[in-house]
Amino acid sequence: MTLKVYADRMSQPSRAVLIFCKLNGIEFEEIKVEISKRQQLSPEFQAINPLKKVPAIVDGRFKLFESHAILMYLTTAFPGVPDHWYPTDYSRRAKINSVLSWHHLNLRRGAATFVLHTVLAPFLGLPQKQQAAAEAEKILTSSLSTLEEVWLKGNGRFLLGGFQPSIADLSLVCEIMQLELLDEGDRGRILGPHEKVQRWIESTRNATKPHFDEVHNVLYELRRKIRATTELPSKM
Amino acid sequence: MTLKVYADRMSQPSRAVLIFCKLNGIEFEEIKVEISKRQQLSPEFQAINPLKKVPAIVDGRFKLFESHAILMYLTTAFPGVPDHWYPTDYSRRAKINSVLSWHHLNLRRGAATFVLHTVLAPFLGLPQKQQAAAEAEKILTSSLSTLEEVWLKGNGRFLLGGFQPSIADLSLVCEIMQLELLDEGDRGRILGPHEKVQRWIESTRNATKPHFDEVHNVLYELRRKIRATTELPSKM
């Protein structure tokens, strides 16, 4: 039975899982769960993930959610996935687990909350919390500094000094790609000072092409829509 | 060379790592890094963990931080750790990874923030943010419901229906133990409705005794101090 991947390409962890499967030739069926249509709340999807979040997978009778856990599982359950994605060497694997643990309360919390309260909330007609955005910007900026000074230290182009990407590179870069939705001013102010981060995003994009841009296309499309909307007032 | 564990027993992830080592007969040296004395900011400790957080370990020349990553590492690097802590079966392991991923932005974010802004901040003379406490209580309450309805479903006494504890049980129960610091009213209101969670805490305590209470003693001691302080006004 083919692996089923329940995903919304607008969700950064969904994109990481989809890109990973495509890159590694894992046969799968992509089942769209559109958050904007609240499809993650349907009883059918809740039977797969009671936490009502994408991505989730079903592999035969086995159900799994939380994107990091899914990525780890795919590296083991599907033969042929190159070792660099999640090395079997337990010291190298431990370092990747360390980055993935750090991700949640730092880069994810900062980036997702900032994007929500600056561009997504007004675009979707949701309440926009300025204080939450300001606090999120602090977490995001500090996370980008940690990426430069701690996680991207070393000779390689990837996290932990690696010469090839791991699931942590893919997961964290997909997170940062949400910043593409910001207006140019915000994006430049936040990402501008972090050149090493910018080079790493490009390295990850290059290492995972053409799937990276193909899966991110919906994000680029939404960026066009948001910019068209927010530029309207100045044209009036 | 003996494993070095840098820890502050007031930190819930530090306790999880210490209890794990003691339970599994892993020889280690506990090196105290007292957060109340800001010792985690010292250059010596930053050379071990540039993120300035406990716990961290040094195993020979190998340094590692982030408690989940440390627990995973210990199960692999030290022979003789029973399989139930982090099963080698990749489907069972995946489920544990899923719980551990969920922990960060849910149970941890809720419990740690709530305890900080209700009891720790006033006790330590730090600013107490009521709105942050209210938001954290929502996350905490919802996390406890998820524990009951999702993660503690099944026949066993442990997470994911297990009959023996995993590193996720230990990590999450140590997190919840911070609620011991709350005053009786808050603690009862929050934990009271979650009987399955209470039974699971007891099961985990029993499965890990006598180390569980021995390592938690500093927490029980702080609880006594906090209660002595907060009860003063009514005696005046």
Side-chain angles (χ1 to χ4, degrees), chain A residues 34-98:
Chain A
E34 290 186 61
I35 298 171
S36 64
K37 295 182 184 163
R38 303 168 71 82
Q39 290 175 346
Q40 79 278 18
L41 307 179
S42 75
E44 294 76 23
F45 185 65
Q46 283 190 53
I48 290 161
N49 182 358
L51 303 187
K52 306 169 209 164
K53 291 195 170 169
V54 285
I57 60 166
V58 177
D59 187 17
R61 287 183 306 174
F62 183 69
K63 297 171 192 170
L64 188 65
F65 37 89
E66 288 290 336
S67 71
H68 293 172
I70 293 172
L71 290 167
M72 292 171 182
Y73 172 82
L74 295 175
T75 64
T76 320
F78 289 84
V81 172
D83 190 68
H84 64 84
W85 286 108
Y86 195 49
T88 40
D89 172 88
Y90 61 78
S91 303
R92 288 171 65 208
R93 178 170 289 199
K95 293 278 191 182
I96 291 171
N97 290 334
S98 183

Side-chain angles (χ1 to χ4, degrees), chain A residues 186-203:
Chain A
D186 277 346
R187 192 175 167 282
R189 185 181 76 254
I190 290 170
L191 261 186
H194 302 285
E195 284 179 22
K196 222 190 246 182
V197 169
Q198 293 175 52
R199 280 199 300 275
W200 164 63
I201 296 170
E202 280 314 299
S203 299

Side-chain angles (χ1 to χ4, degrees), chain B residues 17-229:
Chain B
V17 170
L18 292 171
I19 294 168
F20 185 84
C21 289
K22 284 167 182 259
L23 260 172
N24 288 291
I26 295 172
E27 214 177 302
F28 72 101
E29 181 189 350
E30 178 178 353
I31 298 167
K32 285 187 188 171
V33 180
E34 290 186 59
I35 298 170
S36 64
K37 295 182 184 162
R38 302 167 71 83
Q39 291 176 345
Q40 78 279 17
L41 308 179
S42 75
E44 293 76 23
F45 185 65
Q46 283 189 53
I48 290 159
N49 182 1
L51 303 186
K52 306 168 209 164
K53 292 194 169 169
V54 285
I57 61 166
V58 177
D59 186 17
R61 287 184 307 174
F62 183 69
K63 298 170 191 169
L64 188 65
F65 37 88
E66 288 290 335
S67 71
H68 292 174
I70 293 172
L71 290 167
M72 291 172 183
Y73 172 82
L74 295 175
T75 63
T76 320
F78 289 84
V81 173
D83 190 69
H84 63 84
W85 287 108
Y86 195 49
T88 40
D89 173 87
Y90 60 79
S91 303
R92 288 172 62 208
R93 177 169 290 199
K95 292 280 190 180
I96 292 172
N97 290 334
S98 183
V99 179
L100 289 172
S101 258
W102 171 85
H103 180 188
H104 298 280
L105 280 163
N106 296 283
L107 185 63
R108 176 161 186 81
R109 187 174 173 190
T113 316
F114 186 72
V115 170
L116 174 64
H117 290 296
T118 48
V119 285
L120 285 183
F123 183 75
L124 299 169
L126 299 169
Q128 190 182 3
K129 296 179 185 167
Q130 294 211 331
Q131 203 196 328
E135 283 171 12
E137 184 172 344
K138 273 189 212 161
I139 299 174
L140 173 55
T141 301
S142 143
S143 298
L144 292 170
S145 298
T146 300
L147 272 167
E148 295 236 342
E149 291 156 22
V150 180
W151 301 122
L152 285 169
K153 237 173 139 176
N155 295 326
R157 290 175 301 144
F158 298 101
L159 294 168
L160 306 162
F163 290 92
Q164 284 181 296
S166 74
I167 52 172
D169 291 280
L170 185 55
S171 177
L172 273 65
V173 166
C174 284
E175 187 75 57
I176 293 186
M177 286 302 288
Q178 292 297 92
L179 303 183
E180 291 296 313
L181 297 177
L182 299 178
D183 73 40
E184 284 295 347
D186 276 347
R187 192 175 168 283
R189 186 180 75 252
I190 289 170
L191 261 186
H194 300 286
E195 284 179 24
K196 222 191 247 182
V197 169
Q198 293 176 52
R199 280 199 300 274
W200 164 61
I201 296 170
E202 280 314 299
S203 299
T204 305
R205 184 203 298 262
N206 281 330
T208 59
K209 66 184 176 191
H211 310 292
F212 189 91
D213 279 331
E214 189 255 307
V215 172
H216 278 86
N217 258 334
V218 287
L219 189 79
Y220 306 148
E221 187 52 40
L222 178 65
R223 177 176 61 186
R224 274 191 289 276
K225 279 187 199 160
I226 289 176
R227 294 204 177 156
T229 314

Side-chain angles (χ1 to χ4, degrees), chain A residues 105-169:
Chain A
L105 279 164
N106 296 282
L107 184 63
R108 177 164 186 79
R109 187 174 173 189
T113 315
F114 186 72
V115 170
L116 175 64
H117 289 296
T118 48
V119 285
L120 284 183
F123 183 75
L124 299 170
L126 298 170
Q128 190 182 3
K129 296 179 186 168
Q130 294 212 331
Q131 203 196 329
E135 283 170 13
E137 184 170 346
K138 275 189 211 159
I139 299 173
L140 172 55
T141 301
S142 144
S143 298
L144 292 170
S145 298
T146 301
L147 273 166
E148 295 237 341
E149 292 156 22
V150 180
W151 301 122
L152 286 169
K153 238 173 140 176
N155 295 325
R157 291 176 299 145
F158 298 101
L159 294 168
L160 307 162
F163 290 90
Q164 284 182 295
S166 74
I167 54 172
D169 291 281

